[in-house]
């Protein structure tokens, strides 16, 4: 699992675009999470993500509700199954 912490929504979106291109090449998925956008939609993309680009506030929201732990556990199981 990989976390990219971005200080602003704009930088998070820019970083996500670059990371998404890389993830497509290696067959992985990434997600972006920032305030001001529907939280539920962002939570759904976390479930299958190998990498997350997030702003501090939204990351804290997802840590507090357990979403980030769920994502990390799923990634760990996926890699354990292949290794």
């Amino acid at each position: 699992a990989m976390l990219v912490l971005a200080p602003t929504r704009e930088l998070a979106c820019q970083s996500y675009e670059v990371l998404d291109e890389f993830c497509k090449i290696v067959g992985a998925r990434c997600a972006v999470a920032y305030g001001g956008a529907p939280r539920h939609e962002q939570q759904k993309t976390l479930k299958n993500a190998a990498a997350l680009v997030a702003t501090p506030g939204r990351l804290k929201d997802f840590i507090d509700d357990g979403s980030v732990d769920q994502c990390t556990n799923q990634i760990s199981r996926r890699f354990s199954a292949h290794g």
Side-chain angles (χ1 to χ4, degrees), residues 26-45:
V26 299
R29 292 189 179 154
C30 63
V32 63
Y34 52 85
R39 183 177 169 157
H40 180 71
E41 293 299 317
Q42 293 175 350
Q43 271 179 316
K44 287 189 335 187
T45 63

Side-chain angles (χ1 to χ4, degrees), residues 1-5 15-16 19-33 42-54 59 67-80 82:
M2 182 170 98
L3 171 65
V4 177
L5 192 59
S15 299
Y16 169 77
L19 184 59
D20 189 48
E21 289 299 316
F22 174 77
C23 284
K24 287 177 184 174
I25 292 169
V26 299
R29 292 189 179 154
C30 63
V32 63
Q42 293 175 350
Q43 271 179 316
K44 287 189 335 187
T45 63
L46 285 176
K47 293 180 181 174
N48 297 315
L52 170 63
V53 180
L59 178 61
S67 298
V68 171
D69 287 339
Q70 292 171 9
C71 173
T72 303
N73 288 337
Q74 288 177 6
I75 291 166
S76 296
R77 282 194 300 262
R78 192 175 319 141
F79 282 110
S80 296
H82 296 307

